[in-house]
Amino acid sequence: SDVPHLTLNNGVQIPQLGFGVWQVPPDQAAESVRLALDAGYRHIDTAAAYGNEEGVGQAIRDSGVAREDVFVTTKLWNADHGRAGEAFDVSLRKLGLDYVDLYLIHWPRPDQDRYVEAYRAMEKKLSEGRARAIGVSNFHQPHLEKLLENTDVVPAVNQIELHPGFPQEELRAFNAQHGILTEAWSPLGQGKGLLEDPQLTKIAGEVGRTPAQTVLRWHIQLGNIVFPKSVTPSRIRENLEVFDFELTDDQMAAISALPGGRIGANPETAT
Ligand code: NAD
């Protein structure tokens, strides 16, 4: 596959498509990541909260792929905003790696209001070379504004729920204005209603692709970073094959207008 790289605001390169491992059980994580690396994925998105960092790291270390050729993201859990440095070290130890490529605050938890403190500790890991880039996830504009006012390093990415039916146009624009790349979580809408939508199925037929590939292509053309999740070998391969066709402007607009809405937690209230 020929996954393009995007350039983060600090010059680090990130493969635009990767492999997400939320809800991949710990005892299946190594096998799934091995399949993904074999298929050609070179970007893995995990989190302390997913409970599978050990398996992810094991697969990377055993893969034979050079460490510098795999982009690894993990995330700080909500309970650890007051001890981000220690939590980061635990994640590195579980992964069995010397550094991660990207470390994110998983949720802003405005009720705790400790994300500035957490980010300060992450800036230190960045300066020590333990993280090649740092950023946030599930941050709304007010959370980003507060972070930008009170810290030194502009987040490299904001990883947010984003899929047809929940295209997040305003937040994407705000990210872009500040040099923050948008990562789209649950890019396939968790595979539920979206992939059977008749309008989507029709467009998929027009381009001769599966609905999942059509949705992933929509993300790629918008400039989003994506990491669809699957534990099914054929789907793991299928989700990577989205760089040899194009959607027209009309097809893009029709997919953007599909019905839907938020399916995950609301960042204002998520705990
Ligand atoms: P997703 O949108 O990637 O959907 C995954 C599901 O879609 C699979 O379980 C499967 O049922 C189905 N599917 C996958 N490929 C398919 C195919 N080719 N054909 C048909 N069905 C297919 O959902 P996700 O796992 O929620 O999101 C992807 C990744 O985003 C996660 O693994 C995780 O890394 C990240 N994420 C981050 C947050 C956050 O708060 N930062 C939250 C949710 C997810």
Side-chain angles (χ1 to χ4, degrees):
S1 76
D2 293 304
V3 178
H5 287 67
L6 301 183
T7 305
L8 302 174
N9 59 19
N10 66 353
V12 168
Q13 299 266 107
I14 182 171
Q16 194 179 359
L17 187 145
F19 185 66
V21 297
W22 180 42
Q23 292 177 322
V24 176
D27 61 350
Q28 264 190 60
E31 173 64 8
S32 294
V33 172
R34 189 184 66 77
L35 284 171
L37 291 170
D38 282 353
Y41 290 80
R42 291 293 180 269
H43 168 180
I44 312 292
D45 184 87
T46 185
Y50 301 168
N52 55 24
E53 288 170 312
E54 279 109 335
V56 168
Q58 183 76 45
I60 292 167
R61 282 181 280 112
D62 292 352
S63 66
V65 178
R67 171 66 188 93
E68 62 268 27
D69 292 336
V70 189
F71 191 99
V72 183
T73 300
T74 193
K75 313 186 191 87
L76 174 72
W77 187 237
N78 299 340
D80 295 330
H81 285 197
R83 47 183 297 281
E86 292 91 325
F88 177 89
D89 293 343
V90 170
S91 280
L92 262 196
R93 197 156 63 235
K94 287 186 174 171
L95 286 161
L97 300 175
D98 299 329
Y99 67 90
V100 294
D101 295 279
L102 181 61
Y103 193 56
L104 305 179
I105 299 180
H106 205 146
W107 295 89
R109 286 298 302 264
D111 57 323
Q112 293 182 163
D113 197 19
R114 297 188 81 168
Y115 55 80
V116 168
E117 176 188 348
Y119 198 81
R120 283 286 185 197
M122 291 161 58
E123 289 180 324
K124 188 149 179 286
K125 295 299 176 185
L126 179 74
S127 71
E128 292 167 357
R130 293 295 167 180
R132 294 177 70 225
I134 57 175
V136 297
S137 177
N138 297 302
F139 273 45
H140 285 169
Q141 184 172 331
H143 314 134
L144 284 171
E145 283 168 343
K146 178 166 177 175
L147 196 72
L148 291 169
E149 269 165 35
N150 293 287
T151 62
D152 298 323
V153 177
V154 176
V157 309
N158 186 14
Q159 181 180 129
I160 56 177
E161 179 180 345
L162 198 171
H163 42 77
F166 198 57
Q168 296 260 38
E169 271 143 20
E170 283 179 30
L171 193 47
R172 281 185 63 238
F174 185 84
N175 289 341
Q177 277 156 27
H178 293 270
I180 300 167
L181 292 186
T182 297
E183 295 193 330
W185 63 253
S186 296
L188 302 174
Q190 297 182 9
K192 290 165 188 154
L194 173 64
L195 299 183
E196 282 105 59
D197 180 280
Q199 272 182 282
L200 175 64
T201 312
K202 179 170 163 286
I203 295 170
E206 289 167 10
V207 294
R209 297 294 170 135
T210 67
Q213 289 173 321
T214 306
V215 169
L216 293 171
R217 183 67 210 178
W218 173 85
H219 284 284
I220 295 297
Q221 286 182 217
L222 285 178
N224 299 334
I225 297 163
V226 284
F227 20 78
K229 172 259 176 185
S230 176
V231 292
T232 308
S234 59
R235 287 174 170 176
I236 289 175
R237 289 191 298 271
E238 171 188 331
N239 293 344
L240 198 56
E241 301 307 322
V242 298
F243 300 103
D244 55 353
F245 73 105
E246 257 186 65
L247 299 166
T248 65
D249 290 349
D250 286 349
Q251 289 167 334
M252 287 292 291
I255 296 171
S256 297
L258 290 177
R262 188 193 295 285
I263 54 179
N266 186 329
E268 296 296 339
T269 51
T271 56

